[in-house]
Amino acid sequence: MDLFRLAAPFYDGLMKVAGHQKTIKKAVEQVRIKPDDVICDIGAGTGQLSRLLPAENKLILVDSSDRMLKKARKKVANQAKIVISRAQNLSLEDNSCDLVFCIDALHHFERTGSALAEMKRIVRNNGAIVILEFDPANLKTRIMQWLEELAGEPGCFYSPDKLAAFFKKFGCNTEIVKLSSWQYVLLASDDLTERRSIDGF
Ligand SMILES: C[S@@+](CC[C@H](N)C(=O)[O-])C[C@H]1O[C@@H](n2cnc3c(N)ncnc32)[C@H](O)[C@@H]1O
């Protein structure tokens, strides 16, 4: 079953009920965004994140689902380049972005390790990677995992420490911010002092 092909028409409505924008906003507030940053959203879906980013930044929205991206296109007009690509084999140049976001998407990817290596490959020095994920130690995450696996999704959830270990292997500094009992944000950068935001952008 192609879950997001089926879900695309209903996705934004469901996310409204779930309060998804509030959660993403908390993730965006963790990182310092500069006006000339090129921002890439991997697993961008219908472009929920794009609504929360400054209008002057160049955006690249990447997703494997053309149906989800069709919805995104309506939100971003000319601000964004839309790329249909798999996260584990991105059709983007090395060092082509300053910020990489991956919001509620990593656990949907097959070969997560390759997807993380791709994020590191496309991000420039002094840039940052921001991942919003769900902690498998929490019961709500395990129920979500079970439901997603029933729908044929990989359901590959990493604990914050395990995810941080990948980026440490890549030579990045990392920080984990707990957003709720089950949601967390991982920030990875070679210069966290430059990219960490205390008050939001
Ligand atoms: C739960 S949605 C999240 C969408 C968006 N980031 C948000 O927060 O609303 C997960 C997205 O990951 C995409 N996806 C799944 N596997 C993918 C892959 N291998 N490469 C790129 N995108 C993928 C799906 O098509 C879907 O749009």
Side-chain angles (χ1 to χ4, degrees), residues 2-5 11-12 15 20-21 24 41-49 62-69 83-90 101-111 115 132 134 148 153-154:
D2 184 344
L3 180 63
F4 291 102
R5 199 170 175 78
Y11 187 83
D12 285 339
M15 290 302 112
H20 193 47
Q21 284 278 303
I24 310 177
D41 183 9
I42 301 180
T46 61
Q48 292 260 335
L49 170 70
V62 179
D63 202 283
S64 56
S65 166
D66 57 340
R67 285 266 181 108
M68 293 291 273
L69 286 176
V83 179
I84 301 177
S85 178
R86 292 207 164 263
Q88 50 276 36
N89 188 16
L90 289 172
F101 283 89
C102 183
I103 304 288
D104 179 10
L106 186 73
H107 60 273
H108 291 285
F109 303 161
E110 323 84 31
R111 297 197 288 116
L132 172 67
F134 301 86
E148 287 187 4
E153 289 293 296

Side-chain angles (χ1 to χ4, degrees), residues 99-166:
L99 291 178
V100 171
F101 283 89
C102 183
I103 304 288
D104 179 10
L106 186 73
H107 60 273
H108 291 285
F109 303 161
E110 323 84 31
R111 297 197 288 116
T112 332
S114 308
L116 297 174
E118 283 291 84
M119 292 177 198
K120 171 70 178 131
R121 179 181 69 74
I122 64 166
V123 80
R124 293 185 185 121
N125 285 346
N126 302 325
I129 297 165
V130 183
I131 299 180
L132 172 67
E133 264 302 323
F134 301 86
D135 189 342
N138 187 281
L139 180 64
K140 279 195 272 186
T141 307
R142 292 206 296 276
I143 293 170
M144 183 160 83
Q145 181 175 27
W146 177 72
L147 291 172
E148 287 187 4
E149 283 173 1
L150 275 183
E153 289 293 296
C156 185
F157 291 89
Y158 285 105
S159 69
D161 286 348
K162 214 163 173 191
L163 195 52
F166 272 103

